[in-house]
């Protein structure tokens, strides 16, 4: 059996440890060594994976334990690492942070044990000395079954500071310290209301980032890191039932500055089913590709609402496609575009497609955030009545509909139902929802989309 030469989860003690920046520096350093890299991200995040892809040129994949059954997640992981030299998995939040208070559910630690890969622990070295050993010791002893293979210290002031921290950790904790990440000007990742800016706006190809990777080669023992994280076996997994053939169907995929949140594995499943994918821009194009399926993904339509509203030709063509029965899916930002109007953060109102009657309003705080489950009341583009879907919501906008929702949604944590609400709207062959979906949770959900697409005139 072929396996990746090395694989590890880079996990931090907390969300403020600069984990994404360090991950990107490591990915660039490993790429510059000529190694074949396969990046991953624990959880549902679109933005971090896009940055990984921008650095490596390899599509980064999401490993989501809430949406994907264990056997499916393992099979997905194994399929992508077989041809790689190194699998680098960026963790989510802190090492033991998952969904609720159970450290063995949806956390980086739980995934490391499930996949059989070691953890490299990233620890914040700012304004600390011997106390850092207590932090590392606590993380090591919290779960003795977890394989923490080594430690990297971030935000170190000097070589002397690092030696003090290294001696403290290795004296009190039997873990190797693999080096440190120095302060580096020009490599911070800017943010906006949904998190980091997208990789399309990135500066990761700048001299500052190249210099950062070169410095990591000097301050980290990357060769030892690879030796300590060699992967001998792949986790046992099995793909679920695959969808029926989508041969003969063409999907028009919105892909520009406004719409670009897509899980690569979702696109892979569509292509494996035989669907032809053609990309287009609702912002810049005047012609919609000939298609039977159309996908408007998540993104930042609120930042580009004036341009979306001004592209009258594209709006008319998408409305005409809806009237012909083209099977249209709007996901989060795509739902906002499918609505009647969008009110941006400044209070300006912009006309949208008016296919799903309703109004989107940007707010200043998260409307809903996190994992949830939806049960269908009726047939939709992905479900028969009664079927359930698992997904993720993360949005500052709210959608006020002018028609009945098709999903009963709820958020449950630690065995308690925290909230219930309605969501998802179906108009003809068009469906829109805030719920971000990973199709691999039940690939046969695509059969509903294919059937709707084949009915298009």
């Amino acid at each position: 059996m072929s396996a990746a030469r090395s694989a590890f989860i880079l996990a931090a003690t907390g969300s403020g440890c600069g984990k994404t920046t360090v991950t990107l520096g490591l990915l660039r350093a490993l790429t510059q060594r000529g190694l074949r890299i396969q990046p991953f991200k624990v959880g549902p995040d679109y933005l971090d994976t896009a940055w990984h892809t921008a650095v490596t040129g390899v599509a980064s994949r999401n490993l989501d334990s809430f949406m994907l059954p264990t056997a499916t997640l393992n099979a997905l992981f194994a399929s992508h690492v077989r041809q790689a030299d190194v699998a680098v998995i960026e963790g989510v939040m802190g090492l033991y942070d998952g969904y609720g208070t159970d450290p063995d559910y949806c956390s980086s630690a739980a995934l490391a044990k499930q996949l059989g890969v070691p953890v490299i622990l990233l620890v914040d070295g700012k304004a600390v000395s011997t106390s850092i050993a207590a932090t590392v010791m606590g993380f090591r002893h919290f779960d003795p079954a977890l394989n923490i293979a080594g430690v990297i210290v971030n935000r170190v002031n000097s070589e002397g500071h690092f030696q003090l921290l290294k001696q403290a950790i290795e004296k009190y904790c039997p873990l190797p310290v693999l080096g440190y990440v120095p302060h580096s000007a020009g490599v911070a990742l800017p943010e906006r209301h949904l998190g980091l800016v997208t990789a399309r706006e990135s500066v990761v190809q700048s001299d500052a980032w190249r210099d950062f990777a070169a410095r990591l080669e000097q301050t980290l023992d990357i060769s030892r890191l690879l030796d300590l994280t060699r992967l001998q076996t792949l986790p046992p997994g099995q793909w679920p039932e695959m969808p029926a053939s989508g041969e003969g169907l063409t999907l028009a995929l919105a892909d520009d500055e406004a719409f670009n949140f897509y899980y690569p594995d979702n696109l892979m499943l569509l292509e494996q089913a035989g669907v032809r994918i053609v990309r287009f821009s609702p912002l810049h194009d005047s012609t919609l590709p000939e298609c039977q399926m159309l996908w408007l993904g998540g993104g930042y339509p609120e930042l580009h609402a004036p341009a979306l509203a001004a592209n009258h030709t594209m709006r008319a063509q998408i409305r005409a496609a809806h009237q012909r029965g083209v099977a249209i899916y709007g996901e989060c930002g795509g739902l906002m575009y499918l609505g009647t109007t969008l009110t941006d953060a400044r209070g300006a109102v912009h006309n949208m497609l008016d296919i799903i009657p309703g109004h989107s309003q940007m707010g200043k705080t998260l409307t809903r955030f996190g994992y949830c489950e939806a049960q269908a009341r009726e047939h939709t583009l992905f479900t028969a009545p009664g079927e359930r879907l698992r997904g993720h919501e993360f949005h500052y906008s709210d959608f006020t509909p002018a028609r009945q929702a098709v999903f009963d949604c709820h958020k449950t944590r630690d065995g308690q139902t925290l909230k219930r609400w309605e969501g998802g709207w179906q108009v003809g062959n068009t469906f829109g929802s805030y719920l971000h979906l990973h199709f691999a949770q039940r690939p046969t959900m695509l059969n509903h989309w294919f059937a709707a697409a084949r009915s298009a005139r």
Side-chain angles (χ1 to χ4, degrees), residues 351-379:
N351 291 325
M352 295 287 106
L353 292 171
D354 196 23
I355 293 175
I356 297 179
H359 308 277
S360 297
Q361 170 78 52
M362 290 303 300
K364 296 183 179 180
T365 59
L366 279 168
T367 301
R368 277 191 297 274
F369 165 67
Y371 290 126
C372 56
E373 193 167 354
Q375 184 172 23
R377 297 172 174 172
E378 58 188 75
H379 283 281

Side-chain angles (χ1 to χ4, degrees), residues 1-4 38 40 58-59 61-63 68 71-84 87 115 231 234-239 265 268-269 272 438 440:
M1 177 183 61
S2 175
Q38 176 56 63
F40 295 94
V58 177
R61 311 286 174 157
N62 293 81
L63 300 173
L68 300 183
T72 302
L73 190 153
N74 288 356
L76 184 151
F77 174 76
S79 69
H80 292 309
V81 301
R82 281 193 171 95
Q83 304 305 316
L115 298 178
L231 185 63
L234 293 173
Q238 183 176 359
W239 283 101
D265 288 305
M268 178 192 74
L269 283 171
Q272 287 179 344
H438 200 301

Side-chain angles (χ1 to χ4, degrees), residues 135 148 174 197-198 220 222 225 236 308 318 358:
T135 298
I148 300 178
V197 297
T198 66
L220 296 179
I222 295 177
L225 185 157
L308 289 170
I318 295 177

Side-chain angles (χ1 to χ4, degrees), residues 7 10 13-14 21 55 65 94 105 181 206 218 226 246 254 263 265 284 292 329 350 384 388 421 437:
L10 182 68
T13 55
T21 299
V55 168
S65 300
Y105 187 45
V181 180
S206 69
Q218 303 301 315
L226 297 176
Y263 293 132
D265 288 305
H284 307 298
Q292 299 80 39
Y329 174 37
H350 308 276
R388 295 176 180 269
W421 67 96
L437 298 172

